[in-house]
Amino acid sequence: MRTTIAPELLQDPNIQASEEILRTCVHCGFCNATCPTYLLTGNELEGPRGRIYLIKSLLEGQIDPELHTVEHIDNCLGCLACETTCPSGVTYSHLLEEARPRLEQQIRRPLIDRLLRTLLTHLLPYPGRFRLAMRLAGLGRLFKFLTPPSLRHLLDMAPPHLPPPARLARPGIIPAQGQRRARMALLTGCAQQVVGPQINDATVRLLTRLGVEVVIPPQMGCCGALTFHMGERRHSLELMRNNINVWHAELQGDGLDAIVLNTSGCGTAVKEYDHIFRHDPDLSAKAAAVTALVRDISEVVADLGLGKADHATPLRIAYHDACSLQHGQKVTAPPRQLLKEAGFELIEIPEAHICCGSAGTYNLLKPDAAAALLQRKSTHIAQTKAQAVAAGNIGCIEQIARGIDLPIVHTVELLDWATGGPQPTQLTT
Ligand code: SF4
Ligand code: SF4
């Protein structure tokens, strides 16, 4: 695609990088076929090709950044199905990540939208605040009629009961069972610590059973992904810097064989730390060292070997590919292979490449589109006649649980069960 971006703008290395990406797009439109928002609307501007053209036109100054144009960018889930489909290798994610913060500075959102975004920025990355907010949301449901209509869905999304905090996955060092084979840091996520702490406990049990010493550094915090994908930068980069420094210190200290993530939404962002900080003279080398160690839990367990796995009931499991895992990290085989090794009957969900509508904060910011995608996903899951669903990302788990009558668990909970851990409570009722 030809571009005519003003030379003074191209002095900015980020805009220069965007121009290079724009030039790789040949405008074929193959990506539209797998784009969830294009499938829902049939609108060219609601597909990747249209969005790429929009970003190009904004950079060239052919159109002004206004709310109604930026909305097409806002409506993008960031699911990256388009990247998987694109035959020309267009790195749409990098284009989007450059465009969002720039547009955020150029437009003025309506007050309620600004309030919601500020609230999410200061709430989601902090498990303590998030837990309190979830409790207050339960109370708030009683006074729902007093809440602005555009915020009522937030109250509905809060789970009715919160599980107790994790018993094992707490800051510190958890020794390997038997002889130590490896030493790995575990990122426990922020929302996951509150709504899915049993996932972290299952991960610790599984890894330590396989001979891994697990490190959860006390200073480690949110990976920054949720706010980063909203176009917020100051706060997100601060969170990322903190983790890079914490993990790098651990690497330089007692050493690390891997940094393990069991929240694939976070994993995709952390695997990009080297790209995000590539122009930062103080952090680029550290970020590269950290990024080189980042693995999804399924990749790590596949490498270690699951070992004896005959403890679980051999249920029929429909495996849901989180977009962050299948499109963001291109990890599709290890979870499937491990579930089969663990004795489960694996069933594929039709249209597996399409997002469930969770997409970080998307279901909070765009509830109608998220609900339409959930409906689509739930219908496909119902067709599988599975006994339970497995997924590798807490966002998908929480979203899909609202649309199906089946239990849904994290893949690692099933692997832990199969190798001697407790049966996941969702499967016992
Ligand atoms: S498939 Fe790739 S090259 Fe074709 S329009 Fe989409 S992004 Fe551009
Ligand atoms: S990231 Fe997903 S929603 Fe956004 S343009 Fe690509 S396929 Fe469509």
Side-chain angles (χ1 to χ4, degrees), residues 244-428:
I244 291 170
N245 283 319
V246 169
W247 283 325
H248 194 261
E250 200 63 53
L251 176 61
Q252 297 286 297
D254 292 336
L256 284 177
D257 295 300
I259 296 167
V260 185
L261 279 90
N262 57 10
T263 46
S264 64
C266 309
T268 306
V270 180
K271 282 184 175 177
E272 287 276 298
Y273 276 5
D274 58 343
H275 174 79
I276 295 167
F277 289 94
R278 67 198 182 284
H279 299 308
D280 187 321
D282 299 325
L283 269 194
S284 58
K286 282 187 188 176
V290 161
T291 303
L293 291 174
V294 180
R295 316 284 310 278
D296 182 71
I297 179 69
S298 62
E299 297 177 284
V300 166
V301 176
D303 282 356
L304 289 168
L306 193 57
K308 193 163 179 273
D310 55 2
H311 194 249
T313 312
L315 300 174
R316 286 162 55 83
I317 301 290
Y319 175 71
H320 164 73
D321 285 283
C323 294
S324 42
L325 205 49
Q326 65 169 327
H327 301 307
Q329 299 182 44
K330 310 286 184 238
V331 174
T332 53
R336 287 177 166 80
Q337 175 204 322
L338 290 167
L339 285 169
K340 284 186 202 162
E341 274 178 39
F344 298 102
E345 184 187 344
L346 195 68
I347 309 168
E348 295 294 333
I349 301 172
E351 210 182 66
H353 58 286
I354 296 292
C355 181
C356 64
S358 166
T361 55
Y362 192 86
N363 53 3
L364 302 173
L365 295 168
K366 300 283 171 188
D368 294 341
L373 290 170
L374 173 59
Q375 174 65 46
R376 202 170 168 125
K377 185 63 72 186
S378 306
T379 306
H380 284 126
I381 289 174
Q383 287 169 9
T384 64
K385 308 271 187 252
Q387 291 170 287
V389 182
N393 189 44
I394 185 71
C396 309
I397 291 172
E398 290 296 305
Q399 167 81 345
I400 293 173
R402 281 189 281 275
I404 59 172
D405 293 327
L406 297 173
I408 176 164
V409 292
H410 194 290
T411 309
V412 83
E413 292 180 85
L414 294 175
L415 301 180
D416 173 46
W417 180 27
T419 52
Q423 181 173 5
T425 50
Q426 305 90 309
L427 301 177
T428 55

Side-chain angles (χ1 to χ4, degrees), residues 168-233:
L168 302 171
R170 291 170 174 268
I173 297 171
I174 304 132
Q177 288 179 27
Q179 194 177 2
R180 189 179 98 171
R181 295 167 66 195
R183 187 173 193 271
M184 301 182 183
L186 172 67
L187 181 78
T188 47
C190 352
Q192 178 161 285
Q193 285 185 45
V194 178
V195 296
Q198 77 286 353
I199 298 169
N200 289 329
D201 277 348
T203 306
V204 168
R205 275 193 303 268
L206 181 62
L207 286 176
T208 52
R209 191 178 297 128
L210 296 178
V212 176
E213 177 177 284
V214 177
V215 190
I216 304 178
Q219 311 87 340
M220 188 186 62
C222 171
C223 71
L226 288 172
T227 46
F228 187 82
H229 295 312
M230 281 175 6
E232 196 283 338
R233 281 298 175 271

Side-chain angles (χ1 to χ4, degrees), residues 116-174:
L116 177 56
R117 283 165 184 265
T118 305
L119 186 73
L120 295 176
T121 302
H122 294 282
L123 212 57
L124 293 177
Y126 306 98
R129 295 181 203 174
F130 184 59
R131 183 174 286 111
L132 181 66
M134 289 294 102
R135 294 215 167 102
L136 291 176
L139 204 63
R141 269 196 282 266
L142 300 173
F143 303 98
K144 199 171 165 183
F145 60 97
L146 294 173
T147 313
S150 53
L151 295 183
R152 282 181 195 162
H153 66 281
L154 297 182
L155 297 177
D156 294 334
M157 290 174 89
H161 306 289
L162 287 183
R167 285 190 311 109
L168 302 171
R170 291 170 174 268
I173 297 171
I174 304 132

Side-chain angles (χ1 to χ4, degrees), residues 34-37 47-48 51 76-82 92:
T34 56
C35 171
T37 52
R51 290 186 176 119
C76 171
L77 294 136
C79 69
L80 308 186
C82 49
Y92 173 82

